[in-house]
Amino acid sequence: MAAINLNVNGKTVTVDVDPATPVLWVLRDHLNLVGTKFGCGMAQCGACTIHLNGNAVRSCTLPVSAVKNNAIVTIEGISETGDHPLQQAWEELDVSQCGYCQAGQIMSAASLLKRNPKPTDKDIDNAMSGNICRCGTHVRIRKAIHLAAKTQSKK
Amino acid sequence: MENFKTNNSRRAFLKSSLLAGGGLMISFSGLAKFSLDGKINAADLPGEWYELTGYIKITQDNIIKIFNPNPEFGQNVMTSLPMIVAEELDVDWKKVVVEMGPHDNVKLGPQFTGGSNSVRMYWKPLRDAGAAARNMIITAAAQTWNVPAEEITTKAGMLYHEKTGKSGTYGEFASKASAIPIPKEVKLKDVKDFNVVRHSQKNVEGVKIVTGKPLFGLDYTQEGTLIAMIEHPPAFGMKVKSFDAAETLKMPGIKDVFTLKLYEDGYEQAGFDTRTFNDLLVVVGATTWEVMNARKKLKVTWEPKGDTKDKMAGRGGSREVLVPGALESTATHFAKMKEYAAKPAQLLRKDGDPETAFKNAAKVIERTYNAPFLAHNCMEPMNCFAHVADDKALIVGPHQAASWIEPTLSKVLNLPADKIDMQITRMGGGFGLRAYGHTFVEAAIISKKVKAPVKLMYTREDDMTYGIYRPMYTATYRAAFDANKNLIAFHVKGGGIPENPIHANRFPAGAVDNYLAEGWEIPSNITIGAFRAPRSNFNAAAEQSFLDEVAEVMGKDPIEFRLELLKRAKENPVGKNNEYDADRYAEVLRLVKEKSGWSDAANKQYSRGVAAYFCHNSYAAHVVDVVKKDGQPFVERVTSVVDCGIVINPDAATNMVQGAVVDGIGNALYGEQTFKEGVPEKNNFTRYRMIRHREAPKKIDVHFVQNDINPTGLGEPPFPPIFAAVANALYKSEKKRFYNQPFSAEFQKKA
């Protein structure tokens, strides 16, 4: 066990955990931030995607000791009021079915849009193929990312 | 307007809901704080609610709450079922607060998600409930205003009396209305007057989903909750012999390690009690990561379970089912299926004289289709929260049918059902798997043992190797032709491990003079269960691929050929008990032909395949367009047509059909669970291939047949035919037929 300081969604928090604990379980079990989902534990499905310094990473295989001073952002922190262009686009196109994977999808998409504000279908497919959606909302996710890109470019 | 007489049970049901409600209802269930619509915070709502039928509560300030009775796993019932109530209640949908209902079969009906039945079974009761409540509010207003009830009109949660100019909100009369007896007869709206139903409404939990609010079973917890995991045998047919937990118990956070029996010896299993592993080796600790880690330090000796007999409840009394103990492998499964396929089988249906027709045929074709075991792979792994005390239990989790598992919990915990509070969370997928109750029983008996609230968690590996798979199936189809290439006889003989897939009374039964259907089964210790459109998901794949070959032999267009068979089935049906409506079946084919531009020269660039199917009372047809991408066949575009009667929430229904298409493509191309000496070979997404974004179609156009037929199933019907549409398109693309799922195995061989 060790006291570890983290910057999560703009706030500094201290957790007392085994340094090998994946960030996913620190978020879920210790910080009660359950928007980040457990899917596979092997960085294969993307349900646990968060941002580390703005880049999408799989939190289920990232030991908390490796985070150090890098800022963590989760689905709860991607916008103050749930009005990130991607969240709005997801709403507008009613993307979700069961909804379990969607936080991870949005976090991957947000990282993509930061690097590439006008992604093509192929860019989207490449950036998003690490995120599984079992309900099959892929066509709407693609459309929603294009819609959010459009909204962002107008801002 | 349609006059709908409330029948006896219905009346009793509504009455009892009133009695139970007693008018004034206060506060929320523990779950309510995270199941309300994201836009209104329950904590801010007033405390006094007047209950009008079990589905509706209204405040004096005219806040209208509608309870969704049925578990939500992505099929949109949380939105679409309350829409039905709102329609007949005549309220402004935008002002409705939706909440997941409590588990209460007296108030809220069967509360079962599965068999594409949610909307179908709730359509009448929910219309009835909405109309009855509206009627009661009108009666209350008529008494207060001293005017005839017939002269009062309603609109968007308001009441109007034109002659006197009086108006008021539903809320003003809610208290009085809640004491009015249930009307014996209620008038339902004419479908042409619908302004909520048949109009696309957004998912009521959409905002919560995209902002990461706690919604799912996995997100539920309480102060002091311990985490539990089960170390299950590495292979089907094995059980725990002994274990050494010394190292595990030394690990931080670990409270206890023990074994438990899921069911006691001689327990009679109900239909959805399916046991996979009866001896549970359990690790309990403080946090998920600590338990995951410590569990790896267990030293376990496993031993063969041997043949066992399961006592199963069934129609006409209990029966014993022999479960063979031998460790099974996929290679031996195939060999055994070949052996059984050659043996005489059970006759399922026979029309005419198929034997003679095949003997005298000018030409016979015979093809065999195979499909593997499939894991459901819900994105939310199985889990359940349980807090069992001596005199009561709280069970919270993602389950398709709390009502089926509650009697089992009652038996296993030795508690009356009314002492078990079951709360239903949103599910991160279900696909049939979450209709089975073993996870809930496991959580409950673990909590009872450790005398604390417990969250049972499955890892992905646990989830994927725990069984309840879609069975492994095979079917051999034969068609006989006369010298003029007319189809004169049709034969299907199908079997599976451990279940025969054949639906003997479905198309093309009824359309061919000489018809024979047979089935057989091979017992197994690998547990199986419902998987989105059980049996249909294989039958459609095989039969609709075979019909493509039959059409080809006859030199006919595959759509025209099917339409000819359906014409025959309608005009002069062969045999009895044909399950499908030939007109509705033909219509989805005609429409998919039109909408896909089947005959357009512009679509020649695509390798196209068509398939249609009837199941769960609905009809679906797809045209799949394949192109080559990076040297591999790729499904670029799909056109889908569905007839499921009245569509409640069109955009959400479209989403579900699109999802079924992607799910079908994914499983047809990649889905497979295999075994070696009882060990499931795929235990995570590293080995179990799932469809990815780059493999999903660019475009899925969905069309619904417009009619006023009462709603039939939607979650399952579009799924089965996509497999065959893919196979038939692949034939055009790859110039070879695909008989063995998953089809991508054949591209990989080629590459």
Side-chain angles (χ1 to χ4, degrees):
Chain A
M1 292 295 209
I4 295 173
N5 292 325
L6 296 170
N7 179 340
V8 181
N9 297 331
K11 285 180 199 137
T12 303
V13 291
T14 307
V15 288
D16 187 24
V17 294
D18 170 3
T21 308
V23 172
L24 170 68
W25 298 113
V26 173
L27 293 170
R28 291 188 61 88
D29 283 0
H30 299 272
L31 300 174
N32 198 27
L33 289 169
V34 295
T36 306
K37 300 302 190 213
F38 168 58
C40 69
M42 293 183 79
Q44 293 294 311
C45 77
C48 66
T49 306
I50 58 164
H51 290 178
L52 198 62
N53 275 351
N55 297 316
V57 295
R58 312 295 186 220
S59 66
C60 71
T61 51
L62 176 71
V64 67
S65 58
V67 173
K68 308 212 185 301
N69 296 326
N70 297 297
I72 291 171
V73 173
T74 69
I75 189 70
E76 291 93 343
I78 195 170
S79 73
E80 290 280 312
T81 51
D83 60 355
H84 186 284
L86 282 161
Q87 290 171 318
Q88 287 176 331
W90 247 249
E91 261 296 278
E92 173 65 27
L93 299 175
D94 223 3
V95 169
S96 304
Q97 286 187 38
C98 87
Y100 192 81
C101 76
Q102 300 297 352
Q105 303 275 0
I106 289 172
M107 296 310 283
S108 288
S111 169
L112 165 69
L113 288 186
K114 212 174 264 181
R115 307 193 297 275
N116 180 354
K118 283 182 189 166
T120 62
D121 273 359
K122 200 170 180 179
D123 296 337
I124 292 173
D125 287 350
N126 286 338
M128 300 299 294
S129 282
N131 288 77
I132 295 173
C133 171
R134 179 67 184 82
C135 298
T137 63
H138 305 70
V139 177
R140 285 179 187 232
I141 288 174
R142 220 183 267 134
K143 220 172 156 182
I145 294 172
H146 283 305
L147 177 62
K150 222 168 141 185
T151 313
Q152 253 182 3
S153 71
K154 281 181 196 156
K155 276 189 177 171
Chain B
M1 282 208 183
E2 188 182 349
N3 262 325
F4 177 62
K5 288 197 179 182
T6 53
N7 64 27
N8 283 334
S9 60
R10 193 63 219 147
R11 218 165 23 239
F13 164 65
L14 285 170
K15 202 183 245 169
S16 69
S17 72
L18 263 183
L19 287 173
L24 188 67
M25 293 290 285
I26 300 172
S27 89
F28 298 87
S29 70
L31 202 66
K33 62 182 180 292
F34 65 75
S35 57
L36 277 171
D37 172 51
K39 283 159 188 151
I40 300 176
N41 186 348
D44 301 335
L45 296 177
E48 291 188 8
W49 294 92
Y50 301 100
E51 180 169 324
L52 299 160
T53 83
Y55 297 97
I56 301 159
K57 285 183 186 176
I58 300 180
T59 67
Q60 196 166 357
D61 301 330
N62 208 29
I63 295 172
I64 291 155
K65 182 154 71 179
I66 301 179
F67 290 95
N68 164 40
N70 237 28
E72 167 72 68
F73 66 177
Q75 84 281 40
N76 197 249
V77 289
M78 187 79 182
T79 306
S80 48
L81 292 182
M83 281 169 67
I84 300 170
V85 179
E87 181 68 69
E88 295 290 348
L89 184 60
D90 203 14
V91 290
D92 181 356
W93 175 252
K94 286 188 188 67
K95 292 184 182 159
V96 168
V97 178
V98 171
E99 187 175 324
M100 182 66 218
H103 179 234
D104 184 340
N105 296 152
V106 177
K107 272 191 184 182
L108 299 177
Q111 301 192 282
F112 162 61
T113 280
S116 296
N117 251 328
S118 294
V119 168
R120 185 167 169 252
M121 76 184 169
Y122 275 105
W123 173 242
K124 283 285 192 188
L126 293 184
R127 291 185 77 188
D128 189 15
R134 175 177 170 273
N135 188 303
M136 290 150 73
I137 295 164
I138 289 175
T139 305
Q143 287 170 4
T144 307
W145 292 341
N146 202 16
V147 302
E150 301 75 47
E151 291 179 4
I152 293 176
T153 57
T154 61
K155 195 181 178 185
M158 293 286 293
L159 299 135
Y160 302 94
H161 185 251
E162 204 182 335
K163 282 184 195 164
T164 58
K166 285 188 195 307
S167 67
T169 66
Y170 281 14
E172 289 169 44
F173 301 98
S175 168
K176 193 166 186 175
S178 67
I180 285 172
I182 287 289
K184 285 184 181 160
E185 234 177 69
V186 288
K187 281 181 178 172
L188 299 179
K189 277 188 179 175
D190 192 313
V191 292
K192 73 171 168 25
D193 297 325
F194 284 172
N195 55 42
V196 178
V197 167
R198 281 187 154 170
H199 296 71
S200 293
Q201 314 290 353
K202 296 258 194 290
N203 186 333
V204 295
E205 291 187 320
V207 173
K208 292 197 155 189
I209 289 168
V210 301
T211 53
K213 297 286 182 294
L215 284 170
F216 300 92
L218 203 83
D219 302 338
Y220 185 89
T221 192
Q222 279 187 8
E223 193 63 34
T225 299
L226 298 174
I227 301 293
M229 291 194 191
I230 296 168
E231 179 76 1
H232 72 262
F236 290 92
M238 303 289 276
K239 63 173 184 171
V240 184
K241 185 182 182 192
S242 62
F243 69 95
D244 172 359
E247 292 301 313
T248 301
L249 287 164
K250 280 186 210 158
M251 298 287 284
I254 298 308
K255 309 279 182 200
D256 205 354
V257 178
F258 51 85
T259 54
L260 274 180
K261 267 189 179 174
L262 178 63
Y263 303 119
E264 292 302 325
D265 295 340
Y267 172 81
E268 183 186 282
Q269 279 179 244
F272 283 75
D273 280 354
T274 306
R275 77 176 84 183
T276 284
F277 301 107
N278 203 51
D279 297 297
L280 313 177
L281 173 53
V282 183
V283 181
V284 178
T287 68
T288 313
W289 176 247
E290 288 170 326
V291 176
M292 264 182 190
N293 254 344
R295 177 185 160 184
K296 290 179 191 151
K297 306 276 182 188
L298 285 171
K299 294 190 185 100
V300 194
T301 309
W302 309 99
E303 65 180 347
K305 196 169 69 153
D307 294 353
T308 54
K309 278 180 180 165
D310 277 5
K311 208 167 154 196
M312 310 281 287
R315 271 168 278 181
S318 68
R319 62 198 163 93
E320 280 202 333
V321 178
L322 178 77
V323 181
L327 305 183
E328 300 175 25
S329 299
T330 300
T332 49
H333 283 154
F334 273 117
K336 226 172 186 181
M337 295 212 313
K338 261 194 180 153
E339 179 197 321
Y340 272 67
K343 287 201 263 191
Q346 188 195 349
L347 176 68
L348 302 172
R349 171 165 169 155
K350 186 172 171 176
D351 299 321
D353 184 356
E355 290 85 354
T356 305
F358 273 100
K359 210 165 75 188
N360 297 337
K363 181 181 171 75
V364 171
I365 62 168
E366 178 180 318
R367 303 287 183 264
T368 296
Y369 300 82
N370 295 302
F373 286 97
L374 293 176
H376 296 76
N377 294 336
C378 304
M379 288 312 294
E380 180 191 16
M382 296 301 111
N383 66 86
C384 179
F385 169 91
H387 189 186
V388 177
D390 288 343
D391 56 345
K392 63 180 179 178
L394 170 66
I395 310 286
V396 187
H399 198 280
Q400 290 176 227
S403 315
W404 298 359
I405 188 65
E406 194 179 70
T408 301
L409 286 169
S410 175
K411 266 185 254 172
V412 170
L413 298 174
N414 196 22
L415 279 175
D418 63 4
K419 298 292 176 199
I420 301 172
D421 179 8
M422 289 197 77
Q423 298 189 12
I424 303 165
T425 67
R426 191 177 184 90
M427 289 172 268
F431 306 98
L433 180 58
R434 286 197 154 100
Y436 299 89
H438 59 90
T439 316
F440 280 55
V441 178
E442 290 162 357
I445 59 177
I446 293 167
S447 171
K448 188 175 179 176
K449 159 96 181 167
V450 300
K451 299 188 192 310
V454 160
K455 185 69 181 289
L456 173 64
M457 303 267 302
Y458 282 26
T459 61
R460 175 57 57 194
E461 289 82 359
D462 293 334
D463 190 285
M464 208 180 275
T465 59
Y466 223 93
I468 329 274
Y469 303 114
R470 195 282 300 268
M472 187 178 186
Y473 292 127
T474 187
T476 298
Y477 284 80
R478 293 195 303 148
F481 306 89
D482 67 14
N484 297 319
K485 291 188 178 166
N486 292 309
L487 175 65
I488 55 169
F490 192 95
H491 176 206
V492 55
K493 186 175 178 183
I497 305 171
E499 171 196 78
N500 145 44
I502 301 303
H503 287 110
N505 295 324
R506 292 208 184 144
F507 186 75
V512 187
D513 286 317
N514 303 296
Y515 175 92
L516 178 63
E518 301 172 280
W520 48 266
E521 298 181 338
I522 298 173
S524 169
N525 57 35
I526 296 167
T527 52
I528 57 106
F531 185 110
R532 196 173 201 168
R535 296 158 70 204
S536 299
N537 58 39
F538 171 70
N539 289 332
E543 163 213 301
Q544 291 285 313
S545 297
F546 186 64
L547 288 179
D548 221 57
E549 287 204 55
V550 173
E552 192 178 35
V553 168
M554 297 168 79
K556 291 185 174 177
D557 172 83
I559 295 182
E560 291 310 314
F561 166 61
R562 286 172 172 82
L563 290 174
E564 280 172 25
L565 287 178
L566 287 161
K567 187 163 183 263
R568 166 70 203 272
K570 178 184 162 63
E571 289 173 355
N572 182 20
V574 180
K576 287 179 193 159
N577 304 323
N578 299 325
E579 284 179 20
Y580 57 96
D581 177 322
D583 277 337
R584 290 179 76 185
Y585 203 134
E587 184 55 26
V588 293
L589 278 161
R590 274 193 288 269
L591 204 56
V592 88
K593 184 181 176 188
E594 178 199 319
K595 298 292 184 188
S596 69
W598 181 252
S599 313
D600 294 355
N603 288 321
K604 287 269 191 289
Q605 55 174 312
Y606 295 106
S607 301
R608 318 195 86 189
V610 65
Y613 201 66
F614 158 82
C615 70
H616 300 88
N617 308 289
S618 292
Y619 302 79
H622 305 288
V623 167
V624 157
D625 292 338
V626 163
V627 296
K628 282 281 170 85
K629 187 168 104 173
D630 307 326
Q632 298 275 303
F634 166 64
V635 179
E636 185 170 274
R637 204 173 69 168
V638 180
T639 310
S640 304
V641 172
V642 177
D643 177 358
C644 59
I646 291 169
V647 177
I648 308 303
N649 194 4
D651 188 50
T654 299
N655 196 353
M656 190 148 63
V657 177
Q658 291 170 330
V661 165
V662 175
D663 188 4
I665 295 168
N667 276 299
L669 295 181
Y670 314 118
E672 181 182 34
Q673 179 60 292
T674 55
F675 301 87
K676 200 166 181 187
E677 296 293 308
V679 177
E681 291 185 295
K682 293 161 196 239
N683 66 356
N684 205 319
F685 300 128
T686 40
R687 293 185 202 161
Y688 201 113
R689 189 167 170 191
M690 308 286 285
I691 191 165
R692 300 282 178 166
H693 280 271
R694 63 170 66 95
E695 292 139 358
K698 298 269 174 230
K699 201 162 178 248
I700 305 168
D701 283 325
V702 178
H703 307 271
F704 291 97
V705 174
Q706 298 298 319
N707 59 36
D708 290 344
I709 297 169
N710 285 336
T712 52
L714 182 60
E716 287 162 301
F719 181 63
I722 197 74
F723 289 74
V726 168
N728 295 338
L730 285 176
Y731 167 62
K732 298 286 165 123
S733 166
E734 308 301 294
K735 314 292 181 246
K736 59 166 284 206
R737 292 281 176 184
F738 288 78
Y739 300 106
N740 303 305
Q741 295 173 35
F743 302 139
S744 77
E746 310 236 354
F747 317 145
Q748 282 156 1
K749 261 185 227 160
K750 226 169 69 175

